[in-house]
Amino acid sequence: MVRILVCDKIHEDGIRILREFAEVDVSTGMKPEELLAKVPDYDAIVVRSATKVTAEVISAGKSLKAIARAGVGLDNVDTKAALARNIKLINSPEASTVAVAELVMGLMLSFARKIPRADLGTKQGKWEKKELMGTELRGKTLGIIGTGNIGKAVGRRAAAFEMRLLLYDVVRDEGFAREVGGRYVELDELLGNSDYVTLHVPLLPETRHMIGKRELEMMKQGAVLINTSRGAVVDEKELIEALKGGRIGGACL
């Protein structure tokens, strides 16, 4: 019988489904050396983001045939080492699409309407009505960097808010652009013309720090950067400097 090791917490329904066709052991919070000792006994492992599936782990997994990531990104898995062993890599690209897209809309609304400050002030007994006037999202320009599943979901929701959409991706989906009334542009044009910029790209060597000093300086004065993808996509030291200097209006991370 196939043996599966679940290394990070997943929903009990997922465990139940796996147990319909395999012997499943759940062992979360393992130290690297504990995982190295366990992995040789299993045909497949399931991880989220906490467990790092290194080349050493893959080498130790003599029986490994599959590595499953209960999530979108595979940056915690040494994919080269896995593919060299012909180990199948599995992720769940649509699992968090709606949740992340709704979070992005919530972050924009919170920033535009100054909801966190209003909440804190009210709890402190303040009534800062004039200071908390805020702005509307309608008519503002949202720049979406990365139009995969999540980027598209954000675009559809932003279009419903009557926002203008600028899109950037190395692979363009003109059908989607027509659907939401947006248009694909080069990255520099998007940065210079967007009131909000939201990132939806995987963490790859070519996307690490893709938003750095140059890109932050190109952003529209007072614009807001939203990053719900991997943190390393943004050079956080440069982001802090841009915020301190008032170059951009804010960041939602």
Side-chain angles (χ1 to χ4, degrees), residues 5-8 25-30 34-35 38 42 51:
L5 176 64
V6 177
C7 304
D8 297 316
D25 292 326
V26 179
S27 184
T28 61
M30 286 185 288
E34 293 173 324
L35 178 57
K38 271 185 171 290
Y42 294 90
T51 298

Side-chain angles (χ1 to χ4, degrees), residues 8 15 18 40 54 57 78 90 147 153 175 180 185 206 225 253:
D8 297 316
I15 302 294
L18 290 174
T54 63
V57 170
D78 191 322
I90 304 164
T147 53
V180 296
V185 296
E206 54 267 35
L225 179 68
L253 309 173

Side-chain angles (χ1 to χ4, degrees), residues 145 168 187 191 199 201 206-212 215 232-235:
I145 300 176
Y168 173 79
L187 182 59
L191 292 170
L199 298 166
V201 297
E206 54 267 35
T207 60
R208 182 177 292 274
H209 288 185
M210 72 176 295
I211 302 297
E215 290 74 24
V233 170
V234 178
D235 186 333

Side-chain angles (χ1 to χ4, degrees), residues 110-130:
S110 292
F111 194 93
R113 308 308 303 183
K114 303 182 181 180
I115 293 173
R117 179 179 168 183
D119 175 68
L120 179 61
T122 301
K123 289 175 179 176
Q124 293 174 340
K126 300 176 183 178
W127 184 244
E128 302 173 302
K129 184 176 180 180
K130 291 183 179 179

Side-chain angles (χ1 to χ4, degrees), residues 37-83:
K38 271 185 171 290
V39 74
D41 298 328
Y42 294 90
D43 302 289
I45 58 175
V46 178
V47 301
R48 292 188 68 183
S49 56
T51 298
K52 309 304 178 188
V53 187
T54 63
E56 188 178 9
V57 170
I58 291 167
S59 178
K62 302 300 182 183
S63 300
L64 274 183
K65 300 175 183 65
I67 299 169
R69 163 78 162 88
V72 179
L74 286 166
D75 46 284
N76 58 320
V77 178
D78 191 322
T79 55
K80 288 184 179 179
L83 293 173

Side-chain angles (χ1 to χ4, degrees), residues 89-110:
L89 297 172
I90 304 164
N91 69 341
S92 46
E94 297 183 9
S96 60
T97 297
V98 172
V100 176
E102 289 183 354
L103 174 61
V104 171
M105 298 308 299
L107 291 170
M108 283 196 291
L109 286 167
S110 292

